[in-house]
Amino acid sequence: MKVKQHTIKKQVELSGVGLHTGVISNMTFLPAPPNHGIKFQRIDLEGRPTVDADCDLVVDVSRGTTLEQNGARVYTVEHVLAALVGLEVDNVLIQLDGPEPPIMDGSSIQFIEVLEDAGFEEQNALRRFFEVQESIQYKDASREVEMVALPTDNYRVTVMVDYNSPVLGSQHASITDISQFKSEIASCRTFCFLHELEMLYNSNLIKGGDLNNAIVVVDRVVEKDELQHLAKMFNKQHVEVKKEGILNNVDLRYKNEPARHKLLDVVGDLALVGRPLKAQILAARPGHAANVAFAKKIKRAMEKASSSHIPYYDPKLPPVMDINQISNILPHRYPFQLLDKVIYLDDTVVAGVKNVTMNEPFFLGHFPGNPVMPGVLQVEAMAQTGGILVLSTVDDPENYWTYFLGIESCKFRKMVLPGDTLIFKCELLAPIRRGIAKMRGEAYVGNTLVCEAVMTASITRKES
Protein backbone atom coordinates (compact mmCIF):
# COMPACT_ATOMS: atom_id res chain seq x y z
CA MET A 1 0.00 0.00 0.00
CA LYS A 2 1.17 3.52 -0.73
CA VAL A 3 2.66 5.27 2.30
CA LYS A 4 2.36 8.91 1.24
CA GLN A 5 -0.75 10.73 0.10
CA HIS A 6 -1.35 11.04 -3.64
CA THR A 7 -3.34 13.24 -5.97
CA ILE A 8 -3.52 13.36 -9.77
CA LYS A 9 -1.06 15.33 -11.90
CA LYS A 10 -3.54 17.06 -14.19
CA GLN A 11 -7.21 17.74 -14.79
CA VAL A 12 -9.12 15.07 -16.72
CA GLU A 13 -12.75 14.83 -17.84
CA LEU A 14 -15.36 12.35 -18.99
CA SER A 15 -19.05 12.56 -19.85
CA GLY A 16 -22.08 10.31 -19.83
CA VAL A 17 -25.56 9.65 -18.55
CA GLY A 18 -26.41 9.05 -14.89
CA LEU A 19 -27.84 5.60 -14.14
CA HIS A 20 -30.75 6.65 -11.95
CA THR A 21 -31.39 10.28 -12.93
CA GLY A 22 -30.90 9.80 -16.67
CA VAL A 23 -29.22 13.23 -16.81
CA ILE A 24 -26.14 13.67 -18.99
CA SER A 25 -23.30 15.20 -17.01
CA ASN A 26 -19.68 16.17 -17.47
CA MET A 27 -17.36 15.10 -14.69
CA THR A 28 -13.92 16.64 -14.12
CA PHE A 29 -11.24 15.30 -11.76
CA LEU A 30 -8.89 18.00 -10.46
CA PRO A 31 -5.71 17.75 -8.34
CA ALA A 32 -6.11 18.68 -4.66
CA PRO A 33 -3.66 19.48 -1.83
CA PRO A 34 -2.71 17.11 1.02
CA ASN A 35 -5.47 16.31 3.52
CA HIS A 36 -8.12 17.67 1.14
CA GLY A 37 -9.72 14.26 0.80
CA ILE A 38 -12.31 13.46 -1.87
CA LYS A 39 -14.92 16.13 -2.52
CA PHE A 40 -17.62 16.59 -5.13
CA GLN A 41 -18.59 20.02 -6.45
CA ARG A 42 -21.87 20.84 -8.20
CA ILE A 43 -20.72 23.57 -10.58
CA ASP A 44 -24.21 23.75 -12.13
CA LEU A 45 -25.70 25.15 -8.91
CA GLU A 46 -25.49 28.67 -7.52
CA GLY A 47 -22.46 29.11 -5.31
CA ARG A 48 -20.87 25.91 -6.71
CA PRO A 49 -21.40 24.00 -3.44
CA THR A 50 -19.09 21.16 -2.42
CA VAL A 51 -20.10 17.79 -0.97
CA ASP A 52 -17.64 15.78 1.11
CA ALA A 53 -17.31 12.04 0.60
CA ASP A 54 -18.59 11.32 4.11
CA CYS A 55 -20.88 8.54 5.30
CA ASP A 56 -22.62 10.98 7.67
CA LEU A 57 -23.86 12.90 4.61
CA VAL A 58 -25.64 9.92 2.99
CA VAL A 59 -29.34 10.69 2.50
CA ASP A 60 -30.49 7.85 0.25
CA VAL A 61 -29.41 4.28 -0.53
CA SER A 62 -32.05 3.34 -3.12
CA ARG A 63 -29.95 1.17 -5.48
CA GLY A 64 -27.04 3.59 -5.04
CA THR A 65 -25.42 5.91 -2.51
CA THR A 66 -26.53 9.55 -2.49
CA LEU A 67 -24.77 12.38 -0.60
CA GLU A 68 -26.16 15.79 0.32
CA GLN A 69 -24.39 18.84 1.77
CA ASN A 70 -24.73 22.61 1.41
CA GLY A 71 -28.04 22.17 -0.39
CA ALA A 72 -26.51 19.99 -3.11
CA ARG A 73 -27.04 16.30 -3.85
CA VAL A 74 -24.77 13.90 -5.68
CA TYR A 75 -26.24 10.52 -6.66
CA THR A 76 -24.56 7.13 -7.19
CA VAL A 77 -21.07 8.02 -5.96
CA GLU A 78 -19.87 4.50 -5.15
CA HIS A 79 -18.30 3.52 -8.48
CA VAL A 80 -16.18 6.68 -8.68
CA LEU A 81 -15.10 6.34 -5.05
CA ALA A 82 -14.17 2.69 -5.59
CA ALA A 83 -11.89 3.67 -8.49
CA LEU A 84 -10.10 6.26 -6.34
CA VAL A 85 -9.64 3.81 -3.46
CA GLY A 86 -8.43 1.13 -5.85
CA LEU A 87 -5.78 3.50 -7.20
CA GLU A 88 -4.97 4.79 -3.69
CA VAL A 89 -5.69 8.40 -4.64
CA ASP A 90 -6.34 10.40 -1.48
CA ASN A 91 -6.97 13.96 -2.60
CA VAL A 92 -9.11 15.03 -5.55
CA LEU A 93 -11.90 17.48 -6.37
CA ILE A 94 -14.63 16.03 -8.60
CA GLN A 95 -16.62 18.70 -10.44
CA LEU A 96 -20.03 17.82 -11.88
CA ASP A 97 -22.40 19.89 -14.00
CA GLY A 98 -25.26 17.55 -13.11
CA PRO A 99 -26.61 15.56 -10.18
CA GLU A 100 -24.92 12.21 -10.85
CA PRO A 101 -21.60 10.87 -12.13
CA PRO A 102 -21.85 9.13 -15.51
CA ILE A 103 -22.60 5.42 -15.17
CA MET A 104 -20.30 4.60 -18.13
CA ASP A 105 -20.42 0.79 -18.59
CA GLY A 106 -21.72 0.17 -15.05
CA SER A 107 -18.29 -0.55 -13.57
CA SER A 108 -15.30 1.50 -12.39
CA ILE A 109 -12.88 0.65 -15.18
CA GLN A 110 -13.40 3.79 -17.28
CA PHE A 111 -12.81 5.97 -14.21
CA ILE A 112 -9.62 3.99 -13.59
CA GLU A 113 -8.48 4.58 -17.16
CA VAL A 114 -9.06 8.33 -17.16
CA LEU A 115 -7.37 8.74 -13.77
CA GLU A 116 -4.35 6.75 -14.97
CA ASP A 117 -4.22 9.07 -17.96
CA ALA A 118 -3.97 12.00 -15.53
CA GLY A 119 -1.04 10.38 -13.73
CA PHE A 120 -0.38 10.40 -10.01
CA GLU A 121 1.64 12.75 -7.83
CA GLU A 122 3.15 11.83 -4.47
CA GLN A 123 2.58 14.49 -1.82
CA ASN A 124 4.54 15.58 1.27
CA ALA A 125 2.13 13.98 3.71
CA LEU A 126 1.77 10.48 5.08
CA ARG A 127 -1.50 8.65 4.53
CA ARG A 128 -3.43 8.56 7.77
CA PHE A 129 -4.52 4.95 7.86
CA PHE A 130 -7.16 3.73 10.24
CA GLU A 131 -5.83 0.41 11.44
CA VAL A 132 -8.63 -1.71 12.88
CA GLN A 133 -7.43 -2.95 16.28
CA GLU A 134 -10.40 -5.12 17.23
CA SER A 135 -13.43 -6.59 15.52
CA ILE A 136 -16.08 -4.10 14.30
CA GLN A 137 -19.36 -5.82 13.43
CA TYR A 138 -22.63 -4.93 11.73
CA LYS A 139 -25.70 -7.16 11.42
CA ASP A 140 -29.14 -6.78 9.89
CA ALA A 141 -31.01 -9.94 10.80
CA SER A 142 -34.05 -9.03 8.70
CA ARG A 143 -31.91 -9.10 5.53
CA GLU A 144 -29.46 -11.76 6.75
CA VAL A 145 -26.64 -9.25 6.30
CA GLU A 146 -23.42 -9.57 8.27
CA MET A 147 -20.31 -7.43 7.91
CA VAL A 148 -17.15 -7.40 9.99
CA ALA A 149 -13.80 -5.58 9.96
CA LEU A 150 -10.86 -7.49 11.43
CA PRO A 151 -7.26 -6.43 12.17
CA THR A 152 -4.66 -6.92 9.43
CA ASP A 153 -1.72 -4.99 8.00
CA ASN A 154 -3.27 -4.21 4.60
CA TYR A 155 -6.71 -3.77 3.01
CA ARG A 156 -8.43 -6.97 1.91
CA VAL A 157 -12.10 -7.62 1.17
CA THR A 158 -14.19 -10.79 0.82
CA VAL A 159 -17.85 -10.74 -0.23
CA MET A 160 -20.42 -13.55 -0.28
CA VAL A 161 -23.80 -13.21 -1.97
CA ASP A 162 -26.69 -15.65 -2.11
CA TYR A 163 -29.64 -14.70 -4.34
CA ASN A 164 -31.53 -18.00 -4.22
CA SER A 165 -31.43 -17.87 -8.00
CA PRO A 166 -30.80 -20.74 -10.41
CA VAL A 167 -28.72 -18.37 -12.56
CA LEU A 168 -26.46 -16.88 -9.90
CA GLY A 169 -26.84 -19.03 -6.80
CA SER A 170 -24.22 -18.44 -4.12
CA GLN A 171 -21.12 -16.55 -5.17
CA HIS A 172 -18.11 -15.08 -3.47
CA ALA A 173 -15.31 -12.74 -4.51
CA SER A 174 -12.21 -11.50 -2.75
CA ILE A 175 -9.04 -9.47 -3.03
CA THR A 176 -6.12 -9.97 -0.66
CA ASP A 177 -4.72 -6.48 -1.27
CA ILE A 178 -6.26 -3.28 -2.62
CA SER A 179 -3.65 -3.28 -5.41
CA GLN A 180 -5.66 -6.13 -7.00
CA PHE A 181 -8.73 -3.93 -7.42
CA LYS A 182 -7.88 -2.69 -10.92
CA SER A 183 -7.25 -6.12 -12.45
CA GLU A 184 -9.81 -8.20 -10.55
CA ILE A 185 -12.75 -5.95 -9.66
CA ALA A 186 -12.83 -2.62 -11.53
CA SER A 187 -14.39 -3.93 -14.76
CA CYS A 188 -17.32 -5.71 -13.06
CA ARG A 189 -20.67 -4.14 -13.94
CA THR A 190 -23.73 -3.29 -11.92
CA PHE A 191 -26.66 -5.69 -12.20
CA CYS A 192 -30.25 -6.33 -11.21
CA PHE A 193 -32.83 -9.06 -11.62
CA LEU A 194 -35.56 -8.92 -14.23
CA HIS A 195 -38.27 -8.88 -11.56
CA GLU A 196 -36.71 -5.70 -10.10
CA LEU A 197 -36.75 -3.71 -13.34
CA GLU A 198 -40.39 -2.68 -13.30
CA MET A 199 -40.19 -1.58 -9.65
CA LEU A 200 -37.05 0.48 -10.29
CA TYR A 201 -38.52 2.02 -13.42
CA ASN A 202 -41.79 2.93 -11.69
CA SER A 203 -39.80 4.42 -8.79
CA ASN A 204 -38.15 6.85 -11.25
CA LEU A 205 -34.85 5.02 -10.87
CA ILE A 206 -32.61 3.63 -13.69
CA LYS A 207 -33.69 6.46 -16.03
CA GLY A 208 -30.24 6.16 -17.56
CA GLY A 209 -30.28 2.36 -17.46
CA ASP A 210 -29.26 0.60 -20.63
CA LEU A 211 -28.33 -2.92 -21.55
CA ASN A 212 -24.84 -1.52 -22.22
CA ASN A 213 -24.32 -0.30 -18.64
CA ALA A 214 -26.09 -2.91 -16.52
CA ILE A 215 -26.48 -6.67 -16.44
CA VAL A 216 -30.08 -7.85 -16.21
CA VAL A 217 -30.31 -11.34 -14.75
CA VAL A 218 -33.27 -13.36 -16.06
CA ASP A 219 -34.22 -16.14 -13.64
CA ARG A 220 -37.56 -17.17 -15.11
CA VAL A 221 -39.25 -17.80 -18.45
CA VAL A 222 -40.13 -14.53 -20.23
CA GLU A 223 -43.07 -14.21 -22.63
CA LYS A 224 -42.81 -12.38 -25.95
CA ASP A 225 -45.08 -9.47 -24.95
CA GLU A 226 -42.93 -8.81 -21.89
CA LEU A 227 -39.81 -8.70 -24.05
CA GLN A 228 -41.53 -6.11 -26.26
CA HIS A 229 -42.34 -4.06 -23.16
CA LEU A 230 -38.71 -4.27 -22.03
CA ALA A 231 -37.52 -3.20 -25.48
CA LYS A 232 -39.69 -0.09 -25.22
CA MET A 233 -38.40 0.61 -21.71
CA PHE A 234 -34.80 0.53 -22.92
CA ASN A 235 -35.49 2.25 -26.26
CA LYS A 236 -34.38 -0.82 -28.17
CA GLN A 237 -35.95 -2.33 -31.29
CA HIS A 238 -35.99 -5.68 -29.57
CA VAL A 239 -34.48 -7.58 -26.67
CA GLU A 240 -34.15 -11.28 -26.24
CA VAL A 241 -33.04 -14.07 -23.96
CA LYS A 242 -32.63 -17.54 -25.36
CA LYS A 243 -32.75 -19.24 -22.00
CA GLU A 244 -32.66 -18.35 -18.34
CA GLY A 245 -29.56 -16.25 -18.01
CA ILE A 246 -28.77 -12.68 -19.05
CA LEU A 247 -31.08 -10.33 -20.92
CA ASN A 248 -29.97 -9.60 -24.50
CA ASN A 249 -27.40 -12.40 -24.11
CA VAL A 250 -24.71 -10.18 -22.63
CA ASP A 251 -21.58 -12.15 -21.82
CA LEU A 252 -20.37 -11.97 -18.23
CA ARG A 253 -16.79 -10.81 -17.83
CA TYR A 254 -16.38 -13.27 -14.95
CA LYS A 255 -18.56 -16.15 -13.88
CA ASN A 256 -18.92 -14.41 -10.50
CA GLU A 257 -19.16 -10.88 -11.92
CA PRO A 258 -22.18 -9.99 -9.72
CA ALA A 259 -20.26 -10.91 -6.54
CA ARG A 260 -17.25 -8.97 -7.76
CA HIS A 261 -19.44 -5.94 -8.39
CA LYS A 262 -20.81 -6.21 -4.87
CA LEU A 263 -17.20 -6.09 -3.67
CA LEU A 264 -16.71 -2.98 -5.81
CA ASP A 265 -19.70 -1.38 -4.10
CA VAL A 266 -18.32 -2.27 -0.65
CA VAL A 267 -14.98 -0.63 -1.46
CA GLY A 268 -16.73 2.49 -2.80
CA ASP A 269 -19.15 2.85 0.10
CA LEU A 270 -16.46 2.25 2.75
CA ALA A 271 -14.44 5.10 1.19
CA LEU A 272 -16.98 7.29 2.98
CA VAL A 273 -15.20 6.70 6.32
CA GLY A 274 -12.79 9.39 5.10
CA ARG A 275 -9.46 7.63 5.65
CA PRO A 276 -7.64 4.70 4.03
CA LEU A 277 -8.23 1.46 5.89
CA LYS A 278 -6.01 -1.33 7.09
CA ALA A 279 -8.56 -4.05 7.73
CA GLN A 280 -9.91 -7.35 6.53
CA ILE A 281 -13.52 -6.82 5.49
CA LEU A 282 -15.86 -9.81 5.41
CA ALA A 283 -19.32 -9.13 4.02
CA ALA A 284 -22.26 -11.52 3.65
CA ARG A 285 -25.12 -10.29 1.43
CA PRO A 286 -24.06 -6.62 1.50
CA GLY A 287 -26.01 -3.76 -0.06
CA HIS A 288 -25.74 0.02 -0.02
CA ALA A 289 -27.82 0.43 3.16
CA ALA A 290 -25.67 -2.08 5.04
CA ASN A 291 -22.42 -0.74 3.58
CA VAL A 292 -23.21 2.81 4.72
CA ALA A 293 -24.36 1.70 8.18
CA PHE A 294 -21.15 -0.32 8.51
CA ALA A 295 -19.08 2.67 7.34
CA LYS A 296 -20.65 4.76 10.09
CA LYS A 297 -19.69 2.16 12.70
CA ILE A 298 -16.10 2.19 11.43
CA LYS A 299 -16.05 5.99 11.44
CA ARG A 300 -17.30 6.12 15.05
CA ALA A 301 -14.51 3.70 16.05
CA MET A 302 -12.04 5.83 14.10
CA GLU A 303 -13.14 9.02 15.85
CA LYS A 304 -12.92 7.37 19.24
CA ALA A 305 -9.38 6.20 18.55
CA SER A 306 -7.93 9.48 17.29
CA SER A 307 -7.60 13.15 18.11
CA SER A 308 -7.61 15.07 14.85
CA HIS A 309 -5.70 18.13 16.11
CA ILE A 310 -2.64 16.04 17.08
CA PRO A 311 -0.35 15.05 14.20
CA TYR A 312 -0.59 11.35 13.39
CA TYR A 313 2.70 9.52 13.84
CA ASP A 314 3.37 5.90 12.95
CA PRO A 315 7.04 5.05 13.53
CA LYS A 316 6.71 2.09 11.14
CA LEU A 317 6.15 4.44 8.19
CA PRO A 318 8.96 6.26 6.35
CA PRO A 319 9.08 10.00 7.09
CA VAL A 320 8.52 12.86 4.69
CA MET A 321 12.10 13.92 5.56
CA ASP A 322 14.70 11.88 7.40
CA ILE A 323 17.65 13.25 9.38
CA ASN A 324 19.87 13.51 6.28
CA GLN A 325 17.28 15.46 4.33
CA ILE A 326 16.72 17.75 7.33
CA SER A 327 20.48 18.36 7.53
CA ASN A 328 20.48 19.48 3.89
CA ILE A 329 17.98 22.23 4.75
CA LEU A 330 18.69 23.31 8.34
CA PRO A 331 22.16 24.61 9.27
CA HIS A 332 22.02 23.15 12.81
CA ARG A 333 24.38 20.34 13.81
CA TYR A 334 25.05 18.26 16.93
CA PRO A 335 24.45 19.01 19.72
CA PHE A 336 21.92 21.59 18.54
CA GLN A 337 20.13 19.68 15.79
CA LEU A 338 16.95 18.87 17.69
CA LEU A 339 14.67 17.53 14.95
CA ASP A 340 14.85 13.85 13.94
CA LYS A 341 12.06 13.48 11.35
CA VAL A 342 9.50 15.48 9.40
CA ILE A 343 6.26 13.48 9.14
CA TYR A 344 4.01 16.03 7.42
CA LEU A 345 4.55 19.10 5.24
CA ASP A 346 2.24 21.24 3.15
CA ASP A 347 1.96 24.96 2.35
CA THR A 348 0.88 26.02 5.84
CA VAL A 349 1.54 23.14 8.27
CA VAL A 350 4.55 21.05 9.24
CA ALA A 351 4.88 18.24 11.78
CA GLY A 352 8.10 16.77 13.13
CA VAL A 353 9.45 14.31 15.68
CA LYS A 354 12.14 14.50 18.36
CA ASN A 355 13.06 11.32 20.20
CA VAL A 356 14.29 12.32 23.67
CA THR A 357 16.94 9.94 25.09
CA MET A 358 19.09 9.90 28.21
CA ASN A 359 22.11 10.47 25.95
CA GLU A 360 21.14 14.10 25.28
CA PRO A 361 24.08 16.30 26.33
CA PHE A 362 21.85 18.77 28.19
CA PHE A 363 20.85 16.11 30.73
CA LEU A 364 24.40 16.28 32.14
CA GLY A 365 23.49 19.57 33.78
CA HIS A 366 19.66 19.81 33.65
CA PHE A 367 19.21 18.33 36.19
CA PRO A 368 21.66 15.62 37.33
CA GLY A 369 19.68 12.91 39.04
CA ASN A 370 16.40 14.41 37.84
CA PRO A 371 16.66 14.76 34.05
CA VAL A 372 14.14 17.16 32.54
CA MET A 373 14.35 18.56 29.00
CA PRO A 374 14.82 22.36 29.22
CA GLY A 375 11.76 24.27 28.07
CA VAL A 376 13.87 26.62 25.94
CA LEU A 377 15.16 23.61 23.98
CA GLN A 378 11.61 22.38 23.44
CA VAL A 379 10.89 25.78 21.89
CA GLU A 380 14.11 25.57 19.86
CA ALA A 381 13.15 22.13 18.52
CA MET A 382 9.69 23.49 17.68
CA ALA A 383 11.31 26.47 15.94
CA GLN A 384 13.52 24.14 13.87
CA THR A 385 10.36 22.31 12.81
CA GLY A 386 8.86 25.65 11.77
CA GLY A 387 12.08 26.45 9.95
CA ILE A 388 11.48 23.48 7.66
CA LEU A 389 8.07 24.95 6.77
CA VAL A 390 9.49 28.44 6.10
CA LEU A 391 12.47 27.19 4.07
CA SER A 392 10.21 24.95 1.98
CA THR A 393 8.75 28.11 0.44
CA VAL A 394 12.00 28.93 -1.41
CA ASP A 395 13.66 27.04 -4.26
CA ASP A 396 17.16 27.00 -2.72
CA PRO A 397 16.71 26.65 1.08
CA GLU A 398 20.42 25.93 1.60
CA ASN A 399 21.08 29.61 0.69
CA TYR A 400 18.86 31.05 3.46
CA TRP A 401 19.02 31.58 7.22
CA THR A 402 16.02 31.63 9.53
CA TYR A 403 16.23 33.80 12.64
CA PHE A 404 13.93 34.10 15.66
CA LEU A 405 12.29 37.53 16.01
CA GLY A 406 9.84 36.88 18.81
CA ILE A 407 8.05 34.42 21.07
CA GLU A 408 4.58 35.06 22.48
CA SER A 409 2.13 33.20 24.72
CA CYS A 410 4.69 30.51 25.53
CA LYS A 411 3.55 27.89 28.05
CA PHE A 412 5.18 24.73 29.36
CA ARG A 413 2.41 22.40 30.47
CA LYS A 414 4.20 19.19 31.41
CA MET A 415 7.78 17.99 31.93
CA VAL A 416 9.48 16.18 29.06
CA LEU A 417 11.62 13.25 30.22
CA PRO A 418 14.05 10.74 28.69
CA GLY A 419 12.13 8.16 26.69
CA ASP A 420 9.47 10.64 25.53
CA THR A 421 8.73 11.16 21.84
CA LEU A 422 7.94 14.80 21.09
CA ILE A 423 5.55 15.48 18.20
CA PHE A 424 5.72 19.07 16.94
CA LYS A 425 3.11 20.87 14.88
CA CYS A 426 3.68 24.36 13.45
CA GLU A 427 1.04 26.22 11.45
CA LEU A 428 1.34 29.57 9.71
CA LEU A 429 -1.03 32.18 11.14
CA ALA A 430 -0.72 34.36 8.04
CA PRO A 431 1.00 34.20 4.66
CA ILE A 432 4.75 34.90 4.73
CA ARG A 433 5.31 38.55 3.73
CA ARG A 434 8.64 40.28 3.19
CA GLY A 435 10.43 37.32 4.67
CA ILE A 436 8.51 37.42 7.97
CA ALA A 437 6.70 34.29 9.15
CA LYS A 438 4.39 34.01 12.17
CA MET A 439 3.23 30.59 13.28
CA ARG A 440 1.65 28.76 16.15
CA GLY A 441 3.68 25.87 17.50
CA GLU A 442 2.55 22.96 19.67
CA ALA A 443 4.45 20.02 21.13
CA TYR A 444 2.82 16.77 22.24
CA VAL A 445 3.88 13.65 24.07
CA GLY A 446 1.23 11.10 23.17
CA ASN A 447 -2.08 12.95 23.40
CA THR A 448 -0.78 15.46 25.97
CA LEU A 449 0.10 19.03 25.03
CA VAL A 450 3.44 19.76 26.75
CA CYS A 451 4.48 23.06 25.17
CA GLU A 452 2.97 25.79 23.01
CA ALA A 453 4.02 29.19 21.68
CA VAL A 454 3.43 31.73 18.94
CA MET A 455 6.72 32.30 17.13
CA THR A 456 7.87 34.94 14.65
CA ALA A 457 10.92 34.41 12.46
CA SER A 458 12.63 36.02 9.48
CA ILE A 459 14.04 34.30 6.44
CA THR A 460 17.20 35.95 5.10
CA ARG A 461 19.34 35.10 2.10
CA LYS A 462 22.94 34.26 2.96
CA GLU A 463 25.59 36.70 1.82
CA SER A 464 27.55 35.36 -1.11
Side-chain angles (χ1 to χ4, degrees), residues 175-331:
I175 53 174
T176 56
D177 190 271
I178 195 64
S179 62
Q180 298 171 347
F181 180 87
K182 174 188 170 184
S183 61
E184 299 295 326
I185 303 299
S187 64
C188 296
R189 296 159 293 179
T190 192
F191 69 97
C192 69
F193 287 93
L194 180 61
H195 67 265
E196 297 176 299
L197 273 182
E198 197 75 39
M199 177 194 70
L200 292 169
Y201 188 78
N202 291 336
S203 298
N204 284 323
L205 297 172
I206 64 165
K207 291 181 179 179
D210 188 279
L211 298 182
N212 297 321
N213 58 33
I215 299 166
V216 179
V217 180
V218 181
D219 53 357
R220 58 179 173 80
V221 176
V222 184
E223 301 298 333
K224 185 176 180 179
D225 58 344
E226 186 175 0
L227 288 174
Q228 292 173 344
H229 175 66
L230 290 169
K232 183 178 180 181
M233 185 186 300
F234 285 108
N235 295 315
K236 302 287 185 183
Q237 287 188 349
H238 69 278
V239 296
E240 61 179 345
V241 56
K242 294 180 180 178
K243 59 182 179 179
E244 291 185 346
I246 307 300
L247 196 64
N248 243 30
N249 304 306
V250 174
D251 292 327
L252 293 177
R253 292 171 178 169
Y254 300 90
K255 186 176 181 180
N256 65 338
E257 185 172 357
R260 292 182 187 229
H261 184 81
K262 283 294 185 180
L263 193 154
L264 185 156
D265 282 343
V266 168
V267 170
D269 285 334
L270 293 188
L272 298 171
V273 304
R275 283 167 56 184
L277 296 173
K278 286 189 177 181
Q280 179 172 7
I281 306 297
L282 305 175
R285 304 174 189 86
H288 293 297
N291 295 346
V292 171
F294 187 44
K296 290 180 179 179
K297 289 199 74 170
I298 294 174
K299 186 179 178 184
R300 298 291 86 81
M302 185 174 73
E303 290 170 342
K304 184 178 179 180
S306 66
S307 301
S308 60
H309 63 285
I310 301 174
Y312 173 72
Y313 174 51
D314 184 345
K316 300 191 297 293
L317 299 178
V320 173
M321 291 185 186
D322 60 22
I323 189 65
N324 296 312
Q325 293 167 303
I326 292 170
S327 297
N328 289 334
I329 295 177
L330 294 180

